[in-house]
Amino acid sequence: MIKNEIKSVFKAKSRIILAVVIVLLIGADAFIADLDNPNLHPAYAAFLSRAGIVSIIVTAFVPLYSMYICADSYLRDRANGYCAVIISRAGRKKYLRNKIISSFLIPFGLILTGMALNLFLALLIFNEGYDTSGFNTIVVNFKEAFFTFEYNHPLVSYIMFMLLGSVALGLGSVICTCVAFVAGRYPVAYLASFVLWNLLTSGAVSYLYSPFVSYGAFFIIKGAAELALAVVTSYMAAKYCFMKRKARIE
């Protein structure tokens, strides 16, 4: 059913176009990096290493594009009258579970694909790059093992953050899906998701997709804990509200 869920998401051309735009936008950030500083090391020129406009758009606006592509599918099902039909066949628990899983897999896959494309282009464009954007100074000043590892193994470190960031942004989409189940209405779901996500990422959660910065492993662990707590809490709230509607017609 998850496979069918994912297929149903991409039946609309507008969602396919948006998904392709996201992948290409992330990939094309390598060309913007070349304009800013052509001497960067490939890992430091890659998407997550730069706090550029594309990075801000992709990370801050997770609720908007993930909701449109897949996270608001529950609301679409209700509006189209499909919800009750699907629940009668699969059951509420399976319906909720499939929505949650698909809302993670789709943004995770899109963002990871975009970042893989971006890293590939960065390796081609900056193949002789050496500039670390001042990260060498951070390594010398702080003398932390985590920073030393990042400095000595920049590509390995970036790939680790690339995977971690894709998971984090995918979980952001899960939170949006849970908000949709709780809110039950489009305007409330979109607004609440946007506010909640940006409150979360104003703290340690943002370090999950921020390589080569002056915050060590402690902040990454803290961010992971905060995000996990937000996901679990939002899921419990979604499950409670969804099951509470059991007696009502969807």
Side-chain angles (χ1 to χ4, degrees):
M1 188 174 174
I2 294 173
K3 185 178 179 180
N4 293 333
E5 184 73 35
I6 294 173
K7 283 183 177 179
S8 68
V9 165
F10 291 107
K11 283 183 179 178
K13 289 184 179 179
S14 59
R15 290 196 284 272
I16 296 174
I17 292 170
L18 179 57
V20 172
V21 167
I22 291 168
V23 171
L24 295 180
L25 191 64
I26 296 172
D29 188 61
F31 298 106
I32 300 175
D34 186 39
L35 294 175
D36 291 342
N37 185 352
N39 298 316
L40 285 171
H41 182 282
Y44 295 85
F47 175 70
L48 292 178
S49 304
R50 297 169 4 89
I53 185 64
V54 177
S55 176
I56 293 171
I57 291 172
V58 171
T59 56
F61 290 90
V62 164
L64 300 186
Y65 64 76
S66 69
M67 284 286 275
Y68 183 76
I69 293 174
C70 61
D72 71 349
S73 61
Y74 164 63
L75 300 179
R76 290 199 298 269
D77 287 348
R78 290 187 68 183
N80 296 329
Y82 297 151
C83 194
V85 176
I86 299 172
I87 289 173
S88 66
R89 295 175 180 174
R92 283 178 174 265
K93 290 183 180 179
K94 191 173 182 180
Y95 178 86
L96 175 61
R97 183 191 67 195
N98 289 340
K99 291 293 184 185
I100 295 295
I101 294 173
S102 62
S103 72
F104 169 78
L105 290 176
I106 294 170
F108 169 80
L110 291 176
I111 292 167
L112 184 60
T113 300
M115 287 199 286
L117 173 62
N118 174 267
L119 181 59
F120 174 74
L121 291 172
L123 288 168
L124 291 179
I125 297 170
F126 300 91
N127 62 321
E128 295 182 357
Y130 57 87
D131 193 349
T132 65
S133 293
F135 187 66
N136 56 321
T137 304
I138 293 174
V139 175
V140 172
N141 291 339
F142 288 89
K143 296 182 174 63
E144 185 176 322
F146 183 75
F147 295 149
T148 303
F149 178 85
E150 283 188 284
Y151 183 74
N152 291 333
H153 308 281
L155 283 176
V156 173
S157 298
Y158 183 81
I159 291 171
M160 288 169 56
F161 273 97
M162 191 171 77
L163 293 170
L164 189 60
S166 298
V167 170
L169 297 176
L171 290 176
S173 177
V174 169
I175 292 173
C176 295
T177 297
C178 292
V179 170
F181 273 95
V182 173
R185 292 186 295 167
Y186 281 104
V188 178
Y190 273 76
L191 179 60
S193 296
F194 185 78
V195 172
L196 180 58
W197 175 248
N198 282 280
L199 283 174
L200 274 173
T201 54
S202 65
V205 172
S206 63
Y207 301 131
L208 295 174
Y209 46 82
S210 301
F212 313 121
V213 295
S214 58
Y215 295 92
F218 169 78
F219 291 92
I220 295 173
I221 295 170
K222 182 183 177 184
E226 290 179 1
L227 182 58
L229 179 62
V231 170
V232 171
T233 303
S234 61
Y235 173 75
M236 290 174 64
K239 186 175 181 180
Y240 173 79
C241 292
F242 187 51
M243 298 307 291
K244 193 176 180 180
R245 298 189 187 110
K246 193 170 183 179
R248 294 163 51 187
I249 298 174
E250 292 289 350

